[in-house]
């Protein structure tokens, strides 16, 4: 142990200093000590995880793996750019409603446009991590029809992205309510009749607590949105014209979004069996494509007296909606 202490002290002093007993011995050991230190440093550097020894050229690092390709949305071609490029961001445009108005059709038609990247599912309050990647000049979109009728949504969207463009697809509220009922009936057979749900106590007052009726009060829902967004941020798409003239309505939507009119009448044909427009040739596919089986679903019979009473109920709300939007949708 005494010898170890003496070696440590010698290493810390002036190895070349003269004079004093043992100086010659220390001088003779200096080259050995220096060699030991160099060898120790070399061994430490050679251990896994250490840097390379001095004067040694490191081996070239392997090339990074190509990032995984982004999932390709149905009907949307792969972009002619490196996979995984672009950014995930909050949508610049939202289809906020309404249910059974034609929101799915509008989204699928818009996906034909190369500058539109859209989320296929309905996130029910958008999450940036779910959004597809977009490049500069492209628009991120998503649609959730429940947004238009959910009271807290306008405030939340405005708080996150006040410049968002908002698209509302509206349809004759009576026909929309019957379509809503038909969808529910297909999933829950044995429901009471449409009239029994639409009116309290037979043909008494209209039951606005029933969601199929409440959704059609477009003026009331829009009034809530206008507390946060100016009317200029909205485009109101006619669900009826989306069926009778899809290219015309898509032209308006592309203009509103600041896009070149790429989706035109050459993309559509009318399927008489479904009573709905289909795509002549979906982007990235060689075959025509219609929307799912639920589009064009036959409606159950509703007595004319029920239809007329519901028309009368909606009439003042429709007229107020026409005034608010500056558009007459011709439902009366």
């Amino acid at each position: 142990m005494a010898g170890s202490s003496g070696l440590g002290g010698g290493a810390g002093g002036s190895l070349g200093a003269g004079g004093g007993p043992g100086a010659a011995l220390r001088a003779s050991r200096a080259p050995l000590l220096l060699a030991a230190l160099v060898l120790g440093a070399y061994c430490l550097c050679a251990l896994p995880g250490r840097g390379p020894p001095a004067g040694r050229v490191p081996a070239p690092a392997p090339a990074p793996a190509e990032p995984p390709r982004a999932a390709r949305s149905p009907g949307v071609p792969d972009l002619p750019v490196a996979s995984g490029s672009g950014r995930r961001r909050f949508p610049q445009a939202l289809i906020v409603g309404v249910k059974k108005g034609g929101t799915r059709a509008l989204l699928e038609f818009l996906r034909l446009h190369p500058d539109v990247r859209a989320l296929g599912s309905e996130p029910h309050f958008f999450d940036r991590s779910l959004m597809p990647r977009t490049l500069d000049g492209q628009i991120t979109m998503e649609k959730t029809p429940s947004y238009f009728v959910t009271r807290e949504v306008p405030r939340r969207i405005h708080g996150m992205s006040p410049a968002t463009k908002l698209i509302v697809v509206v349809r004759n509220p009576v026909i929309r309510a019957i379509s809503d009922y038909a969808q529910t009936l297909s999933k829950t057979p044995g429901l009471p009749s449409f009239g029994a749900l639409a009116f309290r106590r037979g043909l008494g007052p209209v039951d606005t607590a029933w969601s199929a009726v409440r959704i059609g009060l477009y003026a009331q829902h829009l009034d809530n949105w206008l507390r946060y967004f100016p009317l200029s941020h909205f485009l109101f798409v006619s669900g009826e014209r989306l069926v009778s003239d899809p290219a015309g309505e898509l032209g308006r939507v592309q203009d509103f979004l600041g896009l070149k009119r790429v989706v035109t009448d050459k993309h559509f044909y009318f399927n008489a069996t479904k009573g709905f427009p289909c795509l002549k040739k979906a982007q990235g596919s060689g075959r025509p494509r219609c929307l799912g089986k639920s589009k064009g679903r036959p409606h159950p019979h509703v007595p004319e007296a029920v239809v007329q009473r519901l028309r009368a109920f909606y009439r003042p709300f429709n007229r107020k909606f026409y005034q608010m939007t500056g558009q007459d949708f011709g439902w009366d």
Side-chain angles (χ1 to χ4, degrees):
M1 292 297 293
S4 297
S5 298
L7 182 61
S14 300
L15 293 177
L25 178 61
R26 287 197 300 271
S28 65
R29 290 179 177 175
L32 294 175
L33 178 59
L34 181 61
L37 290 174
V38 171
L39 180 61
Y42 183 96
C43 293
L44 284 174
C45 290
L47 290 174
R50 300 287 183 174
R56 184 176 172 186
V57 179
E66 182 180 351
R69 295 182 68 83
R72 182 170 173 264
S73 300
V76 179
D78 288 331
L79 294 171
V81 294
S83 299
S85 59
R87 294 182 294 150
R88 299 186 190 277
R89 45 190 155 188
F90 290 127
Q92 296 101 311
L94 297 172
I95 301 174
V96 297
V98 298
K99 180 184 178 185
K100 307 308 296 180
T103 58
R104 168 57 60 183
L106 178 60
L107 185 68
E108 291 302 314
F109 296 163
L110 274 173
R111 284 171 124 173
L112 294 173
H113 201 295
D115 290 335
V116 172
R117 302 292 282 172
L119 186 67
S121 59
E122 297 174 4
H124 296 274
F125 205 74
F126 51 84
D127 179 344
R128 177 157 37 195
S129 67
L130 298 176
M131 296 299 143
R133 294 181 181 274
T134 53
L135 302 174
D136 290 341
Q138 291 184 314
I139 289 178
T140 305
M141 291 192 68
E142 66 111 323
K143 72 104 177 172
T144 302
S146 64
Y147 285 172
F148 190 62
V149 300
T150 305
R151 187 161 187 83
E152 64 271 16
V153 165
R155 176 182 56 80
R156 294 178 69 187
I157 293 178
H158 184 271
M160 297 181 77
S161 185
T164 304
K165 294 184 176 183
L166 305 162
I167 301 173
V168 188
V169 189
V170 288
R171 183 183 183 189
N172 184 319
V174 177
I175 306 303
R176 196 223 64 81
I178 296 172
S179 180
D180 197 338
Y181 172 77
Q183 182 182 55
T184 306
L185 186 64
S186 71
K187 299 175 181 178
T188 315
L191 280 179
S193 69
F194 177 84
L197 294 171
F199 300 98
R200 296 193 294 268
R201 300 186 303 276
L203 284 180
V206 173
D207 189 357
T208 55
W210 186 32
S211 64
V213 168
R214 187 176 65 254
I215 289 171
L217 302 174
Y218 304 142
Q220 290 187 359
H221 303 308
L222 179 57
D223 193 54
N224 181 43
W225 281 85
L226 292 178
R227 294 169 57 200
Y228 299 92
F229 292 92
L231 192 63
S232 60
H233 280 229
F234 291 85
L235 179 71
F236 300 94
V237 174
S238 166
E240 287 82 10
R241 288 196 294 271
L242 198 57
V243 173
S244 63
D245 181 18
E249 285 301 281
L250 262 292
R252 294 179 60 239
V253 175
Q254 290 170 96
D255 291 347
F256 175 68
L257 296 176
L259 299 171
K260 182 180 178 181
R261 287 198 177 196
V262 171
V263 185
T264 63
D265 54 2
K266 70 181 181 183
H267 289 93
F268 301 99
Y269 75 95
F270 190 79
N271 186 309
T273 302
K274 293 181 70 69
F276 209 84
C278 297
L279 301 175
K280 285 181 180 177
K281 189 175 180 181
Q283 196 89 353
S285 170
R287 295 181 299 174
R289 183 170 66 85
C290 290
L291 298 178
K293 294 186 296 184
S294 64
K295 306 305 175 185
R297 178 191 289 118
H299 291 176
H301 172 71
V302 177
E304 186 62 22
V306 171
V307 172
Q308 291 304 323
R309 285 208 60 196
L310 209 51
R311 284 186 183 276
F313 166 77
Y314 278 122
R315 190 168 293 117
F317 295 100
N318 292 344
R319 289 177 178 171
K320 182 180 179 182
F321 186 65
Y322 299 167
Q323 292 173 352
M324 294 172 77
T325 62
Q327 294 178 236
D328 186 336
F329 291 90
W331 299 326
D332 302 309

